[in-house]
């Protein structure tokens, strides 16, 4: 027997249940992982709330964790029991002591990274990789806007931008978060509770605005993002923290300068183990060199049994950086 989080109906954090279950043997090309640290991501709240509802109930939750290989299924030779691994694109169910994961979704966790570092950085780091390196390739010296710069993805983006020699303008919700983003490498910050985002972007760029905006906030920042773009700029909408963007007015994109809009996701960029290996190698290199540092606040580490509380805190928008569930805590 093992413990996991499951839910039988969509809704608020209260639908999450801490239950016993019996792990099944790994199938062909699957690996059974004993999770040591589990990543909590905002997309998990979308799944729980019903925005991205699971196909069947009861359902597990979460797709990211780091741990130790416990068993391997037939056809698996790339990893063996005892190996340290990390994953970010599993089927729902990573909020669990034991989880079976397809081999193609796993990466070997380097010895110089802890389980907590792996689980706190993998999904978010791979996200930053596809955003800054693939969706729009950020160049040295380039100025761009990144919303929620003090969040888990945002703080990694600040550090990655600095490593690239680029100038990230980070929008944040408080002066404390502004300081966090600056320490991480943001070139400038905008406190959206005190400043007009688009106006401040124009000031920071001497009226030129930016070629790309990365926006995981969604509904509440949509207009500010469009207003911050220069002619033929790219709006990258990759999240809905304030609610989904609906009813996109294509004529408005024309009026604001023939703007481009894309709604990417990690699953559109990493579709096989080769693509996963390429992206994770670059991430692990930056983590290993210290160019990107991952530190999880103690108050943002939760016991697996406290998943409800973890989601309440995450949705309060009061966290900074990454949050984790720790089995056995």
């Amino acid at each position: 027997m093992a413990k996991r989080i499951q839910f039988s109906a969509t809704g608020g954090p209260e639908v999450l249940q801490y239950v016993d279950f019996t792990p099944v043997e790994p199938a062909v090309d699957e690996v059974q992982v004993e999770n040591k640290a589990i990543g909590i991501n905002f997309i998990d709240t979308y799944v729980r709330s019903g925005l991205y509802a699971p196909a069947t109930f009861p359902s597990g939750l979460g797709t990211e964790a780091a741990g130790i290989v416990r068993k391997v299924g037939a056809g698996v030779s790339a990893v063996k029991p005892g190996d340290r691994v990390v994953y970010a694109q599993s089927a729902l169910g990573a909020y669990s002591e034991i989880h079976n994961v397809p081999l193609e979704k796993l990466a070997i966790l380097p010895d110089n990274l802890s389980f907590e570092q792996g689980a706190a950085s993998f999904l978010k780091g791979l996200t930053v990789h596809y955003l800054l390196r693939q969706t729009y390739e950020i160049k040295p010296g380039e100025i761009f806007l990144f919303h929620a710069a003090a969040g888990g993805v945002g703080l990694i983006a600040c550090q990655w931008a600095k490593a690239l020699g680029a100038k990230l303008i980070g929008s944040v919700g408080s002066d404390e978060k502004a300081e966090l983003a600056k320490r991480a490498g943001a070139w400038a910050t905008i406190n959206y509770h005190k400043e007009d985002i688009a106006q401040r972007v124009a000031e920071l760029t001497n009226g030129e605005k930016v070629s790309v905006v990365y926006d995981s906030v969604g509904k509440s920042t949509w207009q500010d993002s469009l207003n911050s773009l220069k002619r033929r700029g790219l709006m990258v909408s990759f999240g809905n923290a304030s609610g989904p963007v609906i009813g996109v007015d294509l004529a408005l994109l024309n009026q604001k300068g023939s703007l481009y809009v894309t709604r990417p996701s990690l699953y559109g960029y990493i579709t096989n183990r080769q693509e996963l290996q390429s992206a994770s190698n670059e991430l692990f290199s930056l983590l290993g060199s210290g160019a990107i540092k991952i530190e999880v606040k103690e108050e943002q580490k939760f016991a697996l049994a406290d998943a409800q509380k973890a989601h309440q805190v995450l949705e309060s928008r009061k966290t900074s950086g990454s949050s984790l569930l720790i089995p056995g805590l």
Side-chain angles (χ1 to χ4, degrees), residues 31-37 65-72 79-87 97-99 101 106 109 115:
V31 176
Q32 187 173 92
V33 181
E34 180 181 348
N35 292 332
K36 297 297 185 182
I68 297 173
V69 174
R70 183 171 174 173
K71 298 178 182 178
V72 299
V79 300
K80 63 185 185 304
D83 283 349
R84 304 169 77 250
V85 293
V86 62
Y87 58 89
E97 292 176 339
I98 302 292
H99 192 38
V101 183
L106 286 175
L109 183 66
F115 293 119

Side-chain angles (χ1 to χ4, degrees), residues 124-327:
K124 299 172 183 68
L126 294 177
T127 297
V128 174
H129 179 270
Y130 86 72
L131 291 172
L132 304 193
R133 306 290 286 150
Q134 294 177 287
T135 303
Y136 178 100
E137 188 173 359
I138 294 296
K139 304 294 193 302
E142 183 160 18
I143 303 174
F144 65 99
L145 176 61
F146 201 103
H147 290 297
V153 172
L155 288 177
I156 293 175
C158 289
Q159 296 176 79
W160 207 314
K162 184 177 180 181
L164 292 172
K167 299 178 178 180
L168 180 149
I169 301 172
S171 82
V172 295
S174 69
D175 291 340
E176 179 186 10
K177 288 189 174 183
E179 185 57 34
L180 283 173
K182 287 178 182 176
R183 286 205 302 267
W187 174 68
T189 57
I190 300 171
N191 183 338
Y192 54 75
H193 286 307
K194 296 180 177 180
E195 301 171 284
D196 181 280
I197 292 174
Q199 180 181 332
R200 187 66 183 130
V201 167
E203 292 171 355
L204 288 165
T205 59
N206 295 317
E208 290 188 11
K209 302 186 180 182
V210 295
S211 294
V212 63
V213 175
Y214 297 100
D215 190 342
S216 63
V217 177
K219 183 178 179 180
S220 68
T221 50
W222 176 253
Q223 289 293 333
D224 287 320
S225 294
L226 296 183
N227 291 336
S228 298
L229 286 165
K230 64 175 64 172
R231 183 168 60 94
R232 293 187 294 179
L234 174 63
M235 167 64 181
V236 182
S237 176
F238 69 102
N240 316 284
S242 69
V245 176
I246 57 175
V248 175
D249 184 352
L250 295 180
L252 189 62
L253 303 180
N254 174 22
Q255 295 164 14
K256 291 185 177 297
S258 298
L259 302 180
Y260 295 87
V261 176
T262 184
R263 180 58 174 91
S265 76
L266 182 62
Y267 293 87
Y269 286 86
I270 295 182
T271 63
N272 55 54
R273 197 155 191 253
Q274 183 178 358
E275 291 173 346
L276 176 64
Q277 198 65 51
S278 176
S280 61
N281 283 347
E282 189 167 352
L283 172 63
F284 291 153
S285 176
L286 290 168
L287 288 166
S289 71
I292 293 178
K293 295 182 174 64
I294 301 297
E295 297 177 1
V296 181
K297 294 179 179 179
E298 287 302 316
E299 62 268 27
Q300 289 177 214
K301 298 177 186 178
F302 303 88
L304 181 59
D306 292 333
Q308 287 189 11
K309 180 181 178 182
H311 274 221
Q312 289 167 355
V313 173
L314 183 64
E315 290 180 303
S316 74
R317 305 285 293 276
K318 294 178 180 177
T319 63
S320 60
S322 300
S323 300
L324 295 173
L325 294 173
I326 309 295

